[in-house]
Amino acid sequence: MTLKDEGGIWVSIFDEIKERVTAYDVVTYYGIIVDSKGMCRCPFHNDRNPSMKVDKRYHCFGCGADGDATDFVANYFGLSVIEAAKKLNEDMKLQLRIGCDKRLFPKSQEQIMQEKEQAWKKDVIRAFNILRRDAINILTKYHKLLWEWKREYGPEAMNEGDANWHPFFVEALGKLEHVNELLDDLSFGDRTKQLDVLETYGEEIRRIGERIKQFD
């Protein structure tokens, strides 16, 4: 599904929507209240306290729901991404021409090479997004676990002095801020920042994923 700009360059309708509409725009448009910190109650699970962060994209720290404006509309209304794009185009009055243009002439070798390159780039981006999604899911589960440990194994809960702090409580104190920063960068940082996090902390995140399996 494509549209054609004035210079004759074919661009994705979804990329065009991303340029014009943020997740925050659609979340608020469809009546969900977002507070001053960009947090709201997640509509994808029984959320009693605001656990969804909304900006250009959205991410729920409770259930892991994540995506851009089109993804949100698709999931919120139970639509395919194409149907969601059409709904956004109509509701937000984007006036985009959505449809498939037919080419009447054979493709040149240059066009074929460009399409192959674009396909390769899409594969790379798809692989990156899978790694990013998996990292976010692992860190979200770990973040929830750390909060539980902080609450359940704190000195007051355990009736212990400072010298006898439970290892889980100590880990929660030492890791919560770090995990918060990683989740924020992976969820809302630009592509360069997200790539830097995965390259720098990818192995650490993998080890965390292996470790927390025992607490499932």
Side-chain angles (χ1 to χ4, degrees):
M1 179 164 296
T2 57
L3 57 87
K4 197 174 185 180
D5 70 8
E6 293 178 357
I9 299 173
W10 293 84
V11 294
S12 167
I13 190 70
F14 302 111
D15 291 336
E16 184 73 11
I17 290 175
K18 283 182 183 179
E19 289 296 319
R20 299 197 190 189
V21 184
T22 65
Y24 179 89
D25 294 332
V26 299
V27 167
T28 53
Y29 179 85
Y30 293 118
I32 298 174
I33 299 174
V34 180
D35 65 24
S36 59
K37 296 181 180 179
M39 301 295 293
C40 68
R41 291 185 178 181
C42 176
F44 303 122
H45 75 283
N46 185 18
D47 194 8
R48 296 183 178 179
N49 298 305
S51 63
M52 177 179 281
K53 178 75 173 178
V54 183
D55 202 315
K56 290 183 179 180
R57 297 175 60 85
Y58 69 92
H59 177 75
C60 178
F61 296 101
C63 69
D66 181 83
D68 58 22
T70 306
D71 296 323
F72 181 86
V73 173
N75 291 325
Y76 191 60
F77 292 100
L79 305 173
S80 70
V81 289
I82 295 176
E83 291 171 333
K86 290 179 179 179
K87 181 172 179 61
L88 271 173
N89 190 40
E90 181 178 346
D91 291 352
M92 307 296 286
K93 296 178 173 58
L94 300 179
Q95 297 183 338
L96 299 176
R97 177 169 155 268
I98 300 180
C100 297
D101 293 80
K102 303 297 184 180
R103 300 193 181 191
L104 303 179
F105 302 98
K107 297 177 182 178
S108 67
Q109 189 64 31
E110 182 180 357
Q111 287 176 321
I112 293 173
M113 293 301 295
Q114 286 177 345
E115 290 182 0
K116 286 183 178 180
E117 182 178 356
Q118 289 173 356
W120 176 81
K121 287 180 179 179
K122 287 182 180 179
D123 287 341
V124 172
I125 292 172
R126 188 179 297 109
F128 170 83
N129 286 336
I130 290 173
L131 287 174
R132 173 179 164 274
R133 179 202 65 196
D134 291 347
I136 288 175
N137 287 339
I138 289 171
L139 291 173
T140 297
K141 291 179 182 178
Y142 187 44
H143 182 270
K144 181 179 180 181
L145 200 57
L146 290 173
W147 270 113
E148 291 175 354
W149 289 350
K150 185 178 180 181
R151 182 180 65 253
E152 294 175 7
Y153 294 99
E156 294 182 1
M158 301 293 290
N159 295 318
E160 296 178 349
D162 292 354
N164 297 313
W165 281 0
H166 195 282
F168 285 169
F169 178 71
V170 175
E171 183 175 347
L173 291 181
K175 293 292 187 178
L176 266 172
E177 184 175 354
H178 176 55
V179 172
N180 270 330
E181 290 176 355
L182 293 181
L183 275 171
D184 193 55
D185 288 341
L186 285 172
S187 299
F188 306 108
D190 57 29
R191 185 56 57 90
T192 300
K193 185 63 178 177
Q194 293 171 351
L195 183 60
D196 180 60
V197 169
L198 290 177
E199 288 181 341
T200 305
Y201 300 101
E203 180 59 25
E204 177 184 346
I205 294 171
R206 186 195 65 78
R207 289 197 301 269
I208 289 172
E210 290 297 320
R211 178 169 176 244
I212 63 177
K213 287 180 181 179
Q214 62 183 297
F215 300 102
D216 288 341

